[in-house]
Amino acid sequence: MSRLTELALVAALMFGATGSHAAGRYEGIGRAATPAEVKAWDIDVRPDFKGLPAGSGSVDHGMEVWEAKCASCHGTFGESNEVFTPIVGGTTKEDIETGRVGAYIRGDAPQRTTLMKVATVSTLWDYIHRAMPWNAPKSLSVDDTYAVLAYILNLGEIVPADFVLSDRNIADVQKRMPNRNGMTTRHGLWDVKGKPDVKNVACMKDCRTDITIGSSLPDYARDAHGDLSAQNRTVGPVRGQHTGNATAAAAIKPHPALELMKKNGCSGCHGIDSKVLGPGFREVAKRYKDDKGAESSLSARIRKGSSGNWGDVAMPAQSQVSDADLGALVKWILSGSPEN
Amino acid sequence: MSQLPVRPGRIRRAPEGFLTPEQVGDVAAGRRDFLRQAFAAASVTALGVSAAHAADGDPAILNLPEHSTSLGRPVAERPYGLPSQYEAGLKRRESPGLTRVAAASVSFAPLQGLFGIITPSGLHFERHHQGWHDIDPARHRLMINGLVKEARVYTMDDLMRLPSVSRIHFIECGANTGMEWGNVAVPTVQYTHGMLSCSEFTGVPLSVLLDDCGIDMKRAKFVLAEGADGSSMTRTIPLDRALDDVIVAWGQNGEMLRPENGYPLRLVVPGIQGVSWVKWLRRIEVGDQPWATKDEAVHYIDLLPDGTHRQYTSIQECKSVITTPSGGQTLLDRGFHNISGLAWSGRGKIRRVDVSTDGGRNWRTARLETPVLSKALTRFNIDWVWDGSPAILQSRAMDDTGYVQPTYRQLREVRGTRSIYHNNAIQSWKLAESGDVSNVQAY
């Protein structure tokens, strides 16, 4: 053994190769985490279910939680494509048997749903528990999380309607996930030294003669991004092209409430004229036209959530909207939602 | 199409904005008498000087402007400086129809107007999974737990006392250019390539913190990075990456991170797609298996022609794009032009960039501007004289592993057209005789 190798070995032993050196080598910096602190933040659940807390929830209870907290964005059956891409759909009984989603192999999937993609059921438990509902993340209890997941799995016909999902049977459910055999890590894009799968050579002269324009920008796509002349500098070697009915758009200034509507996430569920999941704003204005108390009652319903006034889909509480935005939005909605 | 005439640069020498399209036509046809009259008339009416005077030259020179003849504004009038009012068009923008919820969306950096390699912090692209927050740094904590001798907690005070490094790196979303896998879909480089930025980041190497906690090198294989926002975004990072050049960063371009970029703390994972650069970083867990989190098991997975998905695709392979001239722009004139663009690789340094103006038949090697840094944007430039005939402009980068950026044809032969992620194909811009540049796929 050379002197250098010996030194390297000693250094490796001293600095963590065996995990034997004391933590906290920078004096006065950092401190040990308490067990309660680790428990509060270490909420991740792995595919081998490490980190999964004990608990259970039924499909039936899941449906109740779903209708109250999830359906407004995802639709009653997890099928909605209005706000987010659908969770449920596109998988078959055969997929559950084989663990491969046939729609991909046939190439006839119009859209990829969550259940068509996800290979590991732990992923869904972890994500629902850490990040849902959308505007109140981490508010679901452990049992409610099991219940909501049971409901989703039932919609996908992965578990029966009388199923109670728990930490004791979730490993069996994993064996029925429709795309459980559909993932691969055999590629060169994880390791920085991984082997690239696509190869080109740097030809310099007379490289090929069959060059074709395979695809060009359609006119509607060019105009869909506003006036490109206003997205470029006014000096220099180029100017932006005039697109998207530039003059008409510049003359009419959009109403500032449209920006508030977008910023506060209202447009996910409401159109101005049209019903999305909730009513169109002009329908609301029409209904409360003669109601003098409409401003305060509408504010309260947005703030605290509301159900039963406009159909089956409940509106969740919108605690994230500032008082100023809320006031401006309610006034604008009741005035008929002018667009400029 | 553009309102500009074939050789608009010629008429820009006259006072701006007083020629009608018909008069512009006269100029292009060489009817110069008209020009002199119009020039004089405009000078009299708009600028109030004599016709004889204006005919002597450019009123922008001959008539001293107000800024040369009056007192300017005081220091600290704008304690945090802002761009000129004339730069208002260059800002980050959303692509209409791409997403439906602005809190889980993307805004693109205006690459068509940027110079050099550093992205101004206010123009850095945004991608949020559940909205952004402006977090009080005094209340922010970083926890490290899992396969370590001691789980530890650090405040911002703690972290900012540690030995720090400052490094320039690019960040690119794995879905950058994702809208173009199947067909041309968007008009400008802001929307085709704008989920790309490059900054100087300052922070402490993650390896320092893992060492400080006594990482169990025998069992540790991966780390999980977790954000403090509502989505608590999580991504698995292999241990060899984590111990290499990953930084727990608070600084960006000389100041603290912007809230939209993770203030007060984010992970910088050089060469790896942006989703792993967890913002509002609150926790690192050391483990022995990958976690298959939502953003590595439902999203950021690459659908292949055989119906399988590649999982944990992370490296941003070598890629380049010409930013000037680029889609949606019009060249002012024929004659000399500097073709300029950006090249980058998640595997190291850029070795070479070649540029073609004939759709890939013939190539010339561009100049690489310094600095040329590993896993950072590299600016390239090449001289070009446009003779007014149609052209297809392309750039092709090579990194220091010898890998050459592929064509669309080569990429699709292996990966099909149904993926969203990791499209690093050669970009083509078609230049028409009118001077208009548009987005095409030539292969």
Side-chain angles (χ1 to χ4, degrees):
Chain A
M1 192 183 278
S2 78
R3 179 79 184 136
L4 203 65
T5 325
E6 251 176 90
L7 276 174
L9 189 65
V10 170
L13 287 170
M14 283 173 64
F15 295 105
T18 60
S20 62
H21 87 282
R25 51 182 291 194
Y26 295 94
E27 192 186 338
I29 293 182
R31 61 167 176 82
T34 70
E37 287 171 341
V38 174
K39 187 167 178 251
W41 276 11
D42 185 358
I43 58 172
D44 55 82
V45 180
R46 286 197 321 202
D48 63 354
F49 304 112
K50 180 180 173 291
L52 182 68
S56 66
S58 67
V59 172
D60 279 349
H61 178 55
M63 187 165 76
E64 286 168 26
V65 179
W66 184 270
E67 283 180 355
K69 297 183 174 174
C70 318
S72 56
C73 287
H74 295 294
T76 304
F77 304 107
E79 82 300 344
S80 171
N81 195 23
E82 297 288 348
V83 185
F84 300 103
T85 47
I87 295 173
V88 177
T91 59
T92 65
K93 285 202 163 63
E94 196 193 339
D95 299 346
I96 292 169
E97 295 303 314
T98 60
R100 288 293 308 275
V101 172
Y104 295 136
I105 300 164
R106 296 189 300 272
D108 60 3
Q111 186 162 23
R112 286 185 283 170
T113 68
T114 301
L115 286 184
M116 287 171 69
K117 291 192 281 187
V118 68
T120 37
V121 70
S122 62
T123 304
L124 300 178
W125 201 101
D126 175 280
Y127 181 67
I128 294 166
H129 186 237
R130 78 169 52 241
M132 289 292 113
W134 177 244
N135 56 358
K138 302 178 186 66
S139 63
L140 290 179
S141 69
V142 164
D143 285 344
D144 282 355
T145 305
Y146 276 106
V148 166
L149 179 52
Y151 179 68
I152 292 171
L153 293 167
N154 175 248
L155 291 172
E157 298 178 20
I158 298 164
V159 303
D162 60 357
F163 196 73
V164 178
L165 180 69
S166 73
D167 54 303
R168 292 174 302 283
N169 62 18
I170 197 167
D172 296 328
V173 173
Q174 173 58 40
K175 293 174 194 155
R176 292 175 56 77
M177 293 300 283
N179 200 36
R180 65 186 177 278
N181 298 321
M183 293 285 176
T184 178
T185 54
R186 286 193 302 274
H187 56 75
L189 286 169
W190 201 9
D191 185 346
V192 74
K193 296 190 182 75
K195 194 169 170 252
D197 57 343
V198 183
K199 286 215 160 45
N200 190 8
V201 288
C203 165
M204 296 302 285
K205 205 166 158 18
D206 301 328
C207 298
R208 55 185 312 155
T209 54
D210 59 340
I211 289 161
T212 52
I213 301 283
S215 175
S216 300
L217 188 71
D219 282 347
Y220 67 83
R222 197 184 71 133
D223 288 336
H225 286 73
D227 180 10
L228 301 179
S229 70
Q231 301 178 26
N232 280 274
R233 202 160 272 125
T234 53
V235 293
V238 296
R239 297 290 182 275
Q241 292 162 17
H242 295 274
T243 57
N245 296 322
T247 41
I252 303 165
K253 222 172 155 191
H255 196 284
L258 292 168
E259 198 52 42
L260 290 184
M261 182 177 165
K262 202 170 97 181
K263 175 180 133 194
N264 289 297
C266 314
S267 44
C269 295
H270 300 277
I272 289 174
D273 269 321
S274 56
K275 177 177 170 10
V276 181
L277 287 168
F281 284 155
R282 284 179 188 150
E283 282 179 83
V284 176
K286 213 163 134 193
R287 181 184 288 186
Y288 299 111
K289 175 161 62 76
D290 301 319
D291 181 350
K292 289 201 171 58
E295 201 170 310
S296 66
S297 65
L298 206 55
S299 301
R301 265 180 254 150
I302 294 171
R303 178 66 80 212
K304 294 182 184 138
S306 166
S307 65
N309 293 308
W310 295 93
D312 297 338
V313 180
M315 168 152 153
Q318 305 292 324
S319 51
Q320 81 285 4
V321 185
S322 72
D323 287 341
D325 284 5
L326 182 64
L329 279 164
V330 167
K331 278 200 175 69
W332 175 68
I333 292 167
L334 291 172
S335 70
S337 310
E339 292 181 60
N340 45 60
Chain B
M1 298 311 274
S2 167
Q3 304 299 307
L4 291 168
V6 176
R7 304 187 71 188
R10 295 293 178 224
I11 55 115
R12 296 259 166 199
R13 291 175 189 168
E16 297 278 347
F18 68 86
L19 295 180
T20 65
E22 293 74 33
Q23 291 168 329
V24 168
D26 288 342
V27 176
R31 290 188 281 277
R32 301 281 170 172
D33 286 353
F34 154 76
L35 175 64
R36 190 159 293 116
Q37 287 161 20
F39 204 114
S43 300
V44 170
T45 53
L47 303 166
V49 297
S50 76
H53 192 186
D56 292 339
D58 184 349
I61 296 171
L62 299 176
N63 305 312
L64 290 180
E66 198 191 344
H67 57 254
S68 301
T69 57
S70 63
L71 178 62
R73 289 150 71 167
V75 299
E77 180 187 297
R78 300 193 296 193
Y80 194 101
L82 293 166
S84 159
Q85 59 180 316
Y86 302 105
E87 294 294 310
L90 279 302
K91 58 183 183 185
R92 48 192 181 203
R93 295 170 187 271
E94 288 180 89
S95 180
L98 182 62
T99 57
R100 272 158 290 192
V101 182
S105 190
V106 173
S107 71
F108 297 81
L111 302 182
Q112 71 275 17
L114 302 186
F115 311 113
I117 62 171
I118 297 292
T119 310
S121 297
L123 297 178
H124 191 294
F125 81 92
E126 294 172 280
R127 167 76 172 109
H128 313 308
H129 290 246
Q130 214 150 333
W132 63 273
H133 299 270
D134 193 357
I135 294 173
D136 176 358
R139 292 173 57 201
H140 189 72
R141 302 288 182 270
L142 175 68
M143 179 187 292
I144 299 186
N145 71 314
L147 298 176
V148 289
K149 188 171 179 64
E150 179 178 89
R152 289 176 71 76
V153 172
Y154 302 88
T155 61
M156 290 303 297
D157 294 344
D158 288 330
L159 295 168
M160 293 168 78
R161 282 170 66 188
L162 287 168
S164 64
V165 296
S166 295
R167 298 206 183 117
I168 296 174
H169 289 297
F170 79 82
I171 171 171
E172 182 184 22
C173 177
N176 201 24
T177 325
M179 289 182 276
E180 307 251 314
W181 262 106
N183 283 299
V184 169
V186 289
T188 75
V189 73
Q190 177 158 18
Y191 307 107
T192 59
H193 289 75
M195 285 193 274
L196 172 74
S197 296
C198 184
S199 303
E200 182 194 60
F201 293 100
T202 297
V204 58
L206 178 58
S207 58
V208 168
L209 296 174
L210 293 175
D211 189 35
D212 192 48
C213 296
I215 180 172
D216 180 349
M217 287 299 290
K218 271 195 175 157
R219 291 156 67 207
K221 297 278 184 293
F222 301 95
V223 303
L224 181 77
E226 180 179 78
D229 61 319
S231 78
S232 291
M233 242 277 309
T234 37
R235 279 286 301 193
T236 301
I237 297 161
L239 190 66
D240 61 345
R241 281 295 82 239
L243 293 177
D244 184 8
D245 49 7
V246 175
I247 305 168
V248 174
W250 52 83
Q252 179 182 354
N253 296 334
E255 58 185 3
M256 288 292 279
L257 293 161
R258 294 290 171 92
E260 300 94 314
N261 302 126
Y263 182 92
L265 202 63
R266 87 173 304 169
L267 205 60
V268 168
V269 193
I272 304 295
Q273 63 185 350
V275 68
S276 291
W277 296 42
V278 173
K279 296 189 284 190
W280 314 290
L281 181 72
R282 77 168 191 182
R283 193 169 67 95
I284 298 281
E285 182 172 342
V286 181
D288 57 4
Q289 287 180 28
W291 276 263
T293 68
K294 185 264 280 175
D295 288 299
E296 54 198 22
V298 177
H299 304 304
Y300 302 90
I301 53 175
D302 304 15
L303 180 56
L304 297 179
D306 70 358
T308 56
H309 285 89
R310 283 182 176 169
Q311 197 173 12
Y312 303 112
T313 45
S314 306
I315 309 278
Q316 296 299 111
E317 292 186 297
C318 187
K319 185 168 171 180
S320 70
V321 66
I322 293 170
T323 53
T324 306
S326 58
Q329 297 180 334
T330 301
L331 290 186
L332 285 190
D333 198 357
R334 62 188 71 175
F336 182 84
H337 284 274
N338 176 46
I339 297 176
S340 185
L342 294 165
W344 61 100
S345 169
R347 288 202 163 97
K349 287 185 185 176
I350 291 299
R351 179 187 289 171
R352 200 174 99 194
V353 177
D354 302 318
V355 170
S356 170
T357 55
D358 62 2
R361 284 183 187 87
N362 297 288
W363 298 81
R364 289 190 297 143
T365 298
R367 299 191 307 276
L368 300 186
E369 306 303 337
T370 53
V372 178
L373 301 169
S374 181
K375 303 173 188 178
L377 293 187
T378 297
R379 175 64 64 173
F380 66 86
N381 289 304
I382 189 168
D383 297 353
W384 185 48
V385 176
W386 182 43
D387 64 4
S389 54
I392 294 174
L393 311 183
Q394 299 179 332
S395 64
R396 180 184 68 195
M398 182 196 292
D399 67 18
D400 60 2
T401 70
Y403 172 89
V404 180
Q405 183 184 4
T407 65
Y408 264 105
R409 187 194 303 266
Q410 290 163 336
L411 199 63
R412 286 173 179 152
E413 274 169 9
V414 178
R415 301 192 198 160
T417 58
R418 295 188 289 168
S419 185
I420 296 168
Y421 304 100
H422 304 110
N423 176 357
N424 67 329
I426 290 171
Q427 169 70 42
S428 304
W429 302 120
K430 186 175 98 175
L431 173 59
E433 284 174 322
S434 64
D436 283 353
V437 185
S438 62
N439 184 7
V440 297
Q441 291 182 357
Y443 45 85

